[in-house]
Amino acid sequence: MRYETERTRRRGHADTATDTLARGLGIFSIAFGIAEIAAPRSLARALGMKGQEGLIAGYGVREIVTGIGILASKDPTPWIWGRVAGDGLDLATLATALEGRNPKKGNVGIAMAAVAGVTALDFYCAQTLSRESPHPLPPMQDYSDRTGYPRGIGQSHGAAQDFEVPRDFRTPEAMRPYSQPQAPQRPMPSM
Amino acid sequence: MKALVWHGTTDIRCDSVPDPQIEHPRDAIIKVTSCAICGSDLHLYNHFMPGMKSGDIMGHETMGEVVEVGAESKGKLKVGDRVVIPFTIICGECDQCKRGNFSVCERTNRNGHIAAKAFGHTTAGLFGYTHLTGGYPGGQAEYLRVPFADATHIKVPNSLSDEQLLFLSDIFPTGWQAAVQCDIEPTDTVAIWGAGPVGQMAIRSAILLGAKQVIVIDRVPERLDMAKAGGAITINLDEESVIERLNELTNGKGPEKCIDAVGMEAHATATIDSMYDRVKQATMMETDRPHVLREMAYVCRPAGTLSVPGVYGGLLDKIPFGAIMNKGLTIRTGQTHVNRWTDDLLRRIEEGQIDPSFVITHTVPLDQGPDMYKIFRDKQDGCIKVVLKP
């Protein structure tokens, strides 16, 4: 579980939404890993990657280990980053299947698009978790009553309009017609 | 006595040091009752300002009770007087002091020749703020020697608390001068970058001076909340586009008046140009990170004013002077001429127009100062302003 930081108004609160997403990715990881171990031949055939069944089963083991890591650890952040790295490996491996005369190139393209989508989700999750704190920070202080006006803002707004701005701090007279909303006193000179 | 002493980058310690003594007939010694950590102290803590030496005593927001007076100050001060000490040391007699330009006093910087080399001319001596400004020991200590004490003080009444008065030393007049530099009209929108202590004071000053609309830009939720309490519309730069939002709030025309209450250490990773500045700083090719100046110049309404109370130290890169020149912007800046404003501001505190103590978030004993520097710098625990009690 990670906690919101001073970047948000919910500082100190647990980020349960991202935690749920991380656990969902963990379950997905285990399920996909089991599929890779159980049916490497079918997957290899569908992707035109015959002869690489061992590699696919190996990737299945990686998925299961990562998934268990996400679900079993107190802080899933490093495991989710592990998934991002694994996604990169998957994409690189699939890219090799686009070479040559693979009749299943279409399937490979679909698989790459699916992996890219999961990669985006993994990256978002990992980045969000990394920005957060592993420990709950003290909740945000409430300064909404710190007005600084003992008699209320209504009484203080404009209370210093009696203050005469010193001559050396005033907007130069020549600039006033341009810096203020009223129209200039003289006709505008032509260029 | 105990004092907070600078030993190097991010190394401030509470040390035992010799008590100060009268060194000149115009001196006075005060027993410090309250002092504060200023945002500009962080420039020293992070060692972005040159001219610090190991052993320098920090602090330039100080108040207390006079315990000893030199012979030439006796007409103006007496033992027992309650005083706030302005961060600028002033002689009260030179041409600049006579004009009220106290922060460029010609006589109080005993290292004026170094300042003249860096800036072309000397500026006033400052408490606890590098040897470029005189190398005077600061007020985060149990006692403080006040040079030119006959001029460098603000007498304050016993009817108000330290917390209400302490910030007359710096941040209140600094925020006030930032707003006065804008010459605010009732139709003006004033945009303020930075909701730290000076930004908070600038918001209240702009409200007191009757601005139509005050907008503040920051990224720390608690600071934005405090700014909102003071009457400002808030922009969280992490969540919205600053320029789009400012234009939206001003019907596409931009704010007439812009205040930079951030200065040289704009957040290093918040924007691309600040990251660029940070790299240049690390390679000694630039001293400051002027993101706010760039953004103000871009968004300010033509013929508007840029007011810069934020501290800059040296050489800045990629300033869009084309925008400044072609839009006819006025730039007003400078260290604060504290004593020029304090009589008026003290009256406004007494009348209840404002109570500057709203900004205090942490009050701790002096010996906890080193820890508070880190907490304040990292904006942890909702820290906005730290008061130290010796």
Side-chain angles (χ1 to χ4, degrees):
Chain A
M1 179 70 74
R2 289 242 161 179
Y3 299 86
E4 305 270 8
T5 63
E6 60 278 355
R7 291 169 58 87
T8 77
R9 285 170 193 279
R10 285 174 38 79
R11 186 178 77 188
H13 290 73
D15 181 2
T16 50
T18 312
D19 191 61
T20 304
L21 173 62
R23 290 186 183 283
L25 289 167
I27 292 166
F28 170 77
S29 200
I30 291 170
F32 190 60
I34 290 170
E36 284 181 306
I37 290 171
R41 221 170 290 159
S42 306
L43 281 168
R45 202 167 40 237
L47 296 167
M49 295 173 68
K50 276 191 176 171
Q52 302 205 44
E53 289 82 0
L55 184 68
I56 290 172
Y59 282 8
V61 173
R62 186 202 76 211
E63 289 277 6
I64 290 170
V65 170
T66 313
I68 291 171
I70 292 169
L71 295 177
S73 64
K74 279 187 181 170
D75 180 5
T77 313
W79 295 101
I80 298 286
W81 279 116
R83 272 193 56 76
V84 174
D87 293 338
L89 204 59
D90 288 344
L91 285 169
T93 307
L94 286 167
T96 63
L98 290 170
E99 298 290 325
R101 285 181 288 176
N102 182 354
K104 306 288 187 182
K105 269 186 192 171
N107 287 352
V108 174
I110 292 168
M112 287 184 79
V115 174
V118 174
T119 306
L121 207 56
D122 284 333
F123 185 75
Y124 166 78
C125 184
Q127 201 181 35
T128 305
L129 291 171
S130 293
R131 282 187 190 146
E132 294 173 341
S133 166
H135 312 291
L137 299 171
M140 207 179 106
Q141 305 286 338
D142 180 9
Y143 296 143
S144 57
D145 60 344
R146 302 285 193 107
T147 68
Y149 311 115
R151 297 184 313 192
I153 190 168
Q155 290 282 311
S156 288
H157 189 209
Q161 280 177 323
D162 60 338
F163 177 76
E164 194 172 333
V165 176
R167 192 167 61 90
D168 54 327
F169 278 69
R170 294 193 70 82
T171 301
E173 282 304 318
M175 297 286 286
R176 281 194 180 273
Y178 301 97
S179 61
Q180 300 309 318
Q182 64 266 30
Q185 300 291 311
R186 295 178 189 168
M188 297 289 282
S190 56
M191 293 290 285
Chain B
M1 69 168 181
K2 296 279 183 200
L4 298 191
V5 177
W6 190 90
H7 286 274
T9 308
T10 67
D11 183 4
I12 287 173
R13 303 175 205 164
C14 186
D15 289 347
S16 286
V17 298
D19 286 358
Q21 294 184 330
I22 298 282
E23 295 175 16
H24 185 278
R26 288 183 74 175
D27 287 356
I29 306 290
I30 70 159
K31 183 178 192 306
V32 177
T33 53
S34 297
C35 53
I37 304 177
C38 179
S40 56
D41 286 329
L42 296 180
H43 304 320
L44 310 181
Y45 181 67
N46 292 326
H47 206 181
F48 281 120
M49 292 290 282
M52 289 296 284
K53 290 181 184 171
S54 183
D56 287 347
I57 298 176
M58 300 286 296
H60 57 264
E61 296 183 354
T62 310
M63 69 177 294
E65 184 187 326
V66 176
V67 291
E68 202 176 345
V69 185
E72 290 180 24
S73 285
K74 281 191 172 153
K76 296 281 178 64
L77 279 177
K78 63 178 189 304
V79 171
D81 280 347
R82 190 179 184 217
V83 288
V84 171
I85 304 301
F87 75 95
T88 44
I89 303 169
I90 61 175
C91 73
E93 295 158 349
C94 70
D95 280 352
Q96 294 290 5
C97 283
K98 282 178 183 164
R99 290 165 187 268
N101 296 332
F102 296 116
S103 75
V104 285
C105 171
E106 295 168 337
R107 293 173 54 191
T108 53
N109 186 349
R110 57 190 176 184
N111 294 329
H113 60 288
I114 305 175
K117 283 235 168 63
F119 302 136
H121 297 85
T122 186
T123 55
L126 306 179
F127 288 100
Y129 213 78
T130 83
H131 289 260
L132 207 61
T133 56
Y136 292 101
Q140 287 167 7
E142 290 179 305
Y143 293 91
L144 173 69
R145 179 177 80 90
V146 182
F148 299 89
D150 54 322
T152 307
H153 70 266
I154 305 151
K155 277 193 195 167
V156 290
N158 289 324
S159 55
L160 296 168
S161 67
D162 274 19
E163 286 70 19
Q164 288 172 296
L165 295 165
L166 175 61
F167 304 129
L168 285 170
S169 59
D170 182 350
I171 58 169
F172 186 20
T174 297
W176 176 260
Q177 182 172 309
V180 170
Q181 285 176 165
C182 290
D183 192 7
I184 291 169
E185 300 279 346
T187 52
D188 281 347
T189 292
V190 181
I192 300 168
W193 277 255
V198 168
Q200 299 289 347
M201 295 298 168
I203 292 166
R204 273 76 179 173
S205 299
I207 292 285
L208 287 172
L209 288 163
K212 183 182 85 178
Q213 185 172 237
V214 178
I215 304 167
V216 72
I217 299 117
D218 203 294
R219 65 202 297 270
V220 181
E222 278 122 332
R223 294 179 175 213
L224 289 169
D225 273 3
M226 190 183 275
K228 196 171 179 184
I233 297 167
T234 58
I235 298 177
N236 186 331
L237 63 92
D238 277 346
E239 295 170 357
E240 322 175 68
S241 159
V242 173
I243 289 172
E244 277 176 26
R245 187 88 177 101
L246 283 173
N247 281 326
E248 187 185 304
L249 288 164
T250 54
N251 298 320
K253 294 189 167 186
E256 288 94 342
K257 310 289 164 65
C258 297
I259 295 175
D260 174 359
V262 174
M264 67 197 293
E265 286 191 68
H267 197 279
T269 57
T271 58
I272 299 230
D273 63 314
S274 287
M275 286 188 241
Y276 162 85
D277 288 326
R278 186 69 193 89
V279 171
K280 290 201 78 170
Q281 266 184 330
T283 51
M284 309 281 277
M285 294 167 73
E286 187 180 27
T287 56
D288 304 13
R289 300 196 292 268
H291 164 75
V292 171
L293 284 180
R294 296 185 190 116
E295 197 158 77
M296 290 201 313
Y298 187 78
V299 78
C300 187
R301 186 176 301 199
T305 298
L306 311 182
S307 169
V308 187
V311 173
Y312 288 91
L315 302 173
L316 285 57
D317 195 8
K318 304 284 186 293
I319 298 298
F321 218 85
I324 294 168
M325 186 271 163
N326 285 288
K327 293 204 291 186
L329 303 181
T330 300
I331 302 178
R332 299 215 58 130
T333 185
Q335 295 278 7
T336 309
H337 309 309
V338 177
N339 289 65
R340 189 165 182 176
W341 318 115
T342 43
D343 286 352
D344 184 71
L345 295 180
L346 178 57
R347 173 176 68 82
R348 295 185 193 284
I349 296 170
E350 286 178 309
E351 289 178 1
Q353 291 180 20
I354 185 167
D355 176 358
S357 66
F358 76 89
V359 79
I360 300 169
T361 55
H362 292 69
T363 302
V364 298
L366 183 70
D367 59 6
Q368 289 179 26
D371 294 334
M372 291 313 299
Y373 264 91
K374 186 172 186 319
I375 288 170
F376 181 37
R377 183 200 58 181
D378 295 341
K379 303 178 179 73
Q380 294 170 342
D381 195 28
C383 185
I384 297 179
K385 190 70 183 176
V386 180
V387 171
L388 304 168
K389 295 286 186 179

